Amino acid sequence: MDNESQPVLEAITEHYVRSKDFNGILASQLSEQVGLSQPTFIAELERLLTNEEIAIAFNHYQGNPHILRFPSPDTQRQLELLTSESPDEFCLYPTAKVLAHRKDLAAFTDRPFMKRLALGEAQLTPVFFELSALEPYYRDPRYLFHYGDMGGRISIRNEACRSSDVHDHDKIVLQTFGIAYDGRRNRVVVVYLRYLADLSPEHQQIWKARTVEGPCAMNSDYARASLYGDWPEHYSAYHALLTEIAEINKLSVLIGKPSLFRDDFSAGRPAGFHPMLRPTGRGLQEFVHLLDKMLSENLNRDFFRNDIPLEEEHPRENGRVRVVSLGTLRLLRNWLSTHYRTADDADVSDEILAPIKIIRGLRQKPAHAIDEDKFDISLPGQQDKLLMDVRKALQKLRLVLMSHPRAVGKYQPPDWLDGDKIVMY
């Protein structure tokens, strides 16, 4: 390294290490600090860039150059911008090549993600983990766990945060996580390095144990929202199913009936209504149980009143009659068969109800048998298919209600609900 470069590099490195959040030093500030002429100063930066001892964050790329949000462009591009950008518009950072020799790195031994920042990595570097890394927080009632299909967040609950019975190292917040995919298109979790570094040492170690090696890719909608503040391009199939329930209830009222579903979940998404976190048989059973409660158990018997019988009579051998209340799925089938036919005079009740009846059957099966739990990588795909089939069934039911004379011309569903932008994140 050139002798004149020594104080420049030392100043860049010291500023980075001593700053609260591994910040860069503004070029104009450094130029005054080292007392070099502008041509000499730029020449020294060019030399340090060529030697890969510094990186430059330009406002053009980073938005806020004081934070290395993204990796800097390649060296040649940095050299070009160095001579065209104002020294008030870019900050300077040491590279891992320089930082790796610092003795104070030992202080980060128990904080692997903070250590990566200390070694000069960009703060929004994506780090990928097994999806099961989320499960302990989901299962632990001390945490608020929000999972909105393409991403979510985790935080300690207020009461747990105030409790002396909860260790301080467990009082953590993960500002955001997202969904990504490994090389076989299996779901994994992505978290930006900055948010991982904010975790306690104990939780950094927990996450590190679930790191996924190999190439992974972030979901494009999560990247758009979390990096650039853009609206997602697609809609989650889970969100679409909840929307179908709400829209069916709107149509029910429009045709002069009580709501078909007792709860439209407008107050909040049911806990656990999200893609599978761990591929186990127990996880699939829990989801099936929840989905059946949202569908079969959620149907409102009053919707069918005065349209079809809610009970049926069963003669007994002694000549008496036993009156039996019909189940909600049977009522829905009878109502559809009685009141709706396609233009070809076809009965679509079985077609609509088939996926919902599959859910009911799967729920009843484990109720009568003790099944050994199993780990099966195909189970998330099975859950996805169940969800998509039910969503399509509810879509068909909505289209049936839309054809009612009282709804024609008076109801318009959300544009996206019948489009091609509904996906399984």
Side-chain angles (χ1 to χ4, degrees), residues 78-118:
Q78 292 182 69
L79 288 168
E80 293 171 359
L81 290 170
L82 181 60
T83 57
S84 64
E85 300 290 312
S86 166
D88 291 321
E89 295 291 323
F90 60 87
C91 290
L92 308 163
Y93 293 81
T95 63
K97 179 179 178 180
V98 173
L99 292 165
H101 300 294
R102 295 188 64 87
K103 295 180 180 180
D104 56 5
L105 286 176
F108 301 105
T109 301
D110 60 346
R111 292 174 289 169
F113 302 112
M114 183 67 80
K115 185 176 181 179
R116 289 177 61 172
L117 288 182

Side-chain angles (χ1 to χ4, degrees), residues 68 96 115 126 138 148 151 167 182 272 280 306 333 339 353 356 359 365 379 382 409 418:
L68 190 64
K115 185 176 181 179
Y138 167 62
H167 291 294
D182 66 13
T280 65
N306 301 323
R333 184 178 71 81
H339 291 280
L353 287 172
I356 302 174
I359 297 294
K365 180 181 178 181
L379 291 174
Q382 293 181 38
D418 294 316

